[in-house]
Amino acid sequence: MRWVLGLAAMCLLSCGGEKPAAVVAPPPPSAQASTGVPSPAPAPPPAKREPVVVAIVVDQLSSWVAESRLPELPPGRGLTRLVREGTWVKHLVYPYAVTDTAPGHAMLHTGKPPAQSGMFANEIPDPASARRVSILRDPSTKLVTPEGVKDAAGASAARLRVDTVADRLRAARPDALVISVSLKDRGAIIPAGKKPTHALWFDTGLGSFVTSTAFEGSFPGWASPAGDARAIAAMRSQPWQPLDAAWLAKVSGVADDAPGEGDLDGLGTTFPHRARSGASFRALPASDQAIVRLALAGVLAEHDPKRPTLVLVSFSASDVIGHVFGPDSWEAWDHLRRLDGTIGDLVDGLAAHVGPVSVILSADHGNVPLPEATKSRAAHCACTTGERLGPSALGDELRAAVKQAIGPGDFVDGVADPYVYLSPAARKLPAPKRAAVDRAVRAALAKHKGVAKVYGDEELARSCPTAVAKGGEDMLALVCRSWPGPPAESGAGDYYVVPAPGSFFDAEITTGKGTSHGTPLSSDRTVPLLVRAAGVDSGAVVDEPIDAVAYSAIEASLLGLDPRSPKQILDEARIRIREQASERAAPAPAPR
Ligand SMILES: [Zn+2]
């Protein structure tokens, strides 16, 4: 089992209490030598250049994928250029078990693990609809579409307990421009925080980009030409053809139609892929281009050199492709090569309009190779077998088990990974019946070889304070940093279910096929970090594991909100790692 990296990378950076850097006055004009001739009136000091930062998240890009594939890509203008011209941290490590999109974006942009951010999962059960809904769904808000405000629940950052770097920027500079764009609500809202200028995401049902009344009352005019249903339908009408099939066959080492690949809404498992729905559009590289078009349109419309600009971009086609086809597929390789160019379009497009741009890029989580990809599994997750745990089927199983134990009633709200949710009625049962429910739930879960461990909320409440204080990366500590508190206070479930190595909760995008993430495996917890900015070493590689808190610290630094330079932040993290390692290696002092 490789739950744990060789070196603990916990809590290496102090991010609390940073203050915005004082505004640095431009240097005085150099004193002129006296010539006796009256000098002309001094030129006005050059205007201070406000920072322009683009903070990118590639959804489901693990360290092993980046490490093995970036060197294989032809030199381009995006990821490969960040490697050439910036610093590449090969192993940015998440210090918690729940490696999903909402927790990951929150960790990157707030520096806090789910236990503190409140972003403990992607979804929660909605007993009213008997479905799972986004953790960000907020019925007190409405969806805002290019056609107007719709009578449907919107989404907000109300559940996010801590400030994002964007929130801190807006507090320090209320005039700052913050534009956030993603295919997913969580990819747009969590980076942006509570007060972005704009946060836009894709609604699969409507087939267009949307926002929420939490952020603005009408859809931005500049966003419609690139983000309305007509624009997306035009992009969706183009089939996805591979750039170079011979190259894909060579570098991937698998067939286009490899075992375990899923078929999302008729996309099929071989090229070319035609998207017939909003859901399958999300698997096309064209969806990344839609994100870039929107981000550029927003900056072109609203950038003002007199105010700081933060562009938050989360690319999610990689995640959908991983879920459907797996990370070793032709589709994943072709997508990564295209993403290189798409990121180039974003960075070059911004630079052409606003001048030099600082870039930071990472991923919200890694992945687990397809259960059928045995070679890749052996190499990258030290797991050879595994079970796809279906949350919907598991919920049905648990309902049946509880019914058998204590009789009919609504006692299980469902499974929204990694949690099993009991109903409020079950939580109020008298102790003997409550104990019977507990036994039934645990016995049903124990029948699955894909379940490694089940933690009840009372056990976590008892054990977590000590486990977190102790530090380290044992399973309990990883789960405790994922756990936001008892269900009644936090909205999390009653049982945290840890998948066995190689197993995972099925994302149910193509049920029974494809792969996922969300496990404590190092292949899920370890992602790349790339930074290209003034003062950052060019072409440098950091091999030591670095805690994921570094992303928010560097994002803040690039915006002038952290007095340390990105290089200092990384250097401090490396020094702390070495100190920790040598403390462990040091022999215990001799007894006196
Ligand atoms: Zn995912």
Side-chain angles (χ1 to χ4, degrees), residues 319 323 365 517:
D319 184 61
H323 282 300
H365 53 75
H517 48 83

Side-chain angles (χ1 to χ4, degrees), residues 345-405:
D345 290 345
L346 173 66
V347 175
D348 290 348
L350 287 171
H353 188 67
V354 306
V357 177
S358 303
V359 186
I360 177 168
L361 180 149
S362 188
D364 52 352
H365 53 75
N367 52 20
V368 183
L370 278 177
E372 293 77 7
T374 43
K375 248 168 78 181
S376 177
R377 289 199 146 214
H380 303 299
C381 84
C383 51
T384 48
T385 59
E387 181 185 1
R388 293 179 175 97
L389 296 160
S392 305
L394 203 51
D396 291 342
E397 255 180 70
L398 295 173
R399 278 185 205 99
V402 170
K403 186 177 168 189
Q404 204 179 21

Side-chain angles (χ1 to χ4, degrees), residues 164-546:
T164 62
V165 173
D167 285 326
R168 289 164 53 198
L169 175 64
R170 293 278 281 180
R173 290 290 302 266
D175 62 333
L177 175 63
V178 176
I179 296 179
S180 187
V181 192
S182 172
L183 282 186
K184 299 177 177 176
D185 62 355
R186 44 192 179 267
I189 294 173
I190 298 172
K194 293 197 165 62
K195 285 189 184 168
T197 323
H198 305 286
L200 304 174
W201 60 94
F202 183 67
D203 185 289
T204 49
L206 297 173
S208 79
F209 280 80
V210 297
T211 183
S212 157
T213 53
F215 306 112
E216 50 193 326
S218 59
F219 196 73
W222 52 258
S224 284
D228 68 8
R230 188 206 289 240
I232 301 304
M235 296 187 86
R236 180 153 78 75
S237 68
Q238 302 297 314
W240 175 15
Q241 302 275 7
L243 281 171
D244 181 346
W247 180 78
L248 293 175
K250 188 180 119 213
V251 292
S252 73
V254 299
D256 186 2
D257 183 12
E261 293 191 9
D263 178 359
L264 173 60
D265 289 356
L267 272 183
T269 54
T270 54
F271 282 108
H273 296 290
R274 287 187 176 76
R276 294 172 172 84
S277 65
S280 56
F281 172 67
R282 303 196 315 165
L284 299 192
S287 67
D288 292 338
Q289 289 162 2
I291 303 283
V292 168
R293 284 189 196 177
L294 279 167
L296 290 177
V299 172
L300 255 65
E302 301 198 13
H303 171 72
D304 175 344
K306 293 198 277 298
R307 56 179 182 159
T309 297
L310 174 59
V311 182
L312 299 155
V313 172
S314 174
F315 292 111
S316 301
S318 42
D319 184 61
V320 182
I321 290 164
H323 282 300
V324 173
F325 304 104
D328 293 294
S329 61
W330 283 30
E331 287 81 2
W333 277 91
D334 190 72
H335 170 263
L336 193 68
R337 187 165 166 181
R338 287 173 182 272
L339 183 64
D340 189 44
T342 305
I343 289 173
D345 290 345
L346 173 66
V347 175
D348 290 348
L350 287 171
H353 188 67
V354 306
V357 177
S358 303
V359 186
I360 177 168
L361 180 149
S362 188
D364 52 352
H365 53 75
N367 52 20
V368 183
L370 278 177
E372 293 77 7
T374 43
K375 248 168 78 181
S376 177
R377 289 199 146 214
H380 303 299
C381 84
C383 51
T384 48
T385 59
E387 181 185 1
R388 293 179 175 97
L389 296 160
S392 305
L394 203 51
D396 291 342
E397 255 180 70
L398 295 173
R399 278 185 205 99
V402 170
K403 186 177 168 189
Q404 204 179 21
I406 64 164
D410 287 332
F411 298 121
V412 178
D413 275 353
V415 176
D417 49 280
Y419 291 99
V420 173
Y421 285 76
L422 300 182
S423 70
R427 289 171 193 158
K428 281 192 226 126
L429 285 170
K433 277 201 164 180
R434 181 73 182 73
V437 170
D438 184 67
R439 283 194 300 274
V441 166
R442 289 178 184 274
L445 291 170
K447 285 184 192 153
H448 288 266
K449 67 177 168 46
V451 172
K453 181 100 182 125
V454 178
Y455 293 98
D457 63 307
E458 285 170 10
E459 180 185 357
L460 292 175
R462 228 176 18 251
S463 317
C464 282
T466 314
V468 169
K470 202 175 82 193
E473 297 196 331
D474 60 82
M475 181 58 68
L476 181 63
L478 294 174
V479 169
C480 285
R481 285 187 212 103
S482 306
W483 186 67
E489 295 163 22
S490 67
D494 301 77
Y495 299 90
Y496 189 109
V497 180
V498 183
S503 299
F504 51 82
F505 281 100
D506 195 327
E508 298 190 337
I509 294 177
T510 51
T511 301
K513 295 281 185 181
T515 193
S516 198
H517 48 83
T519 81
L521 282 176
S522 65
S523 69
D524 247 348
R525 290 200 296 120
T526 317
V527 297
L529 168 69
L530 293 158
V531 188
R532 196 201 70 170
V536 173
D537 287 343
S538 177
V541 170
V542 176
D543 274 318
E544 296 100 324
I546 300 282

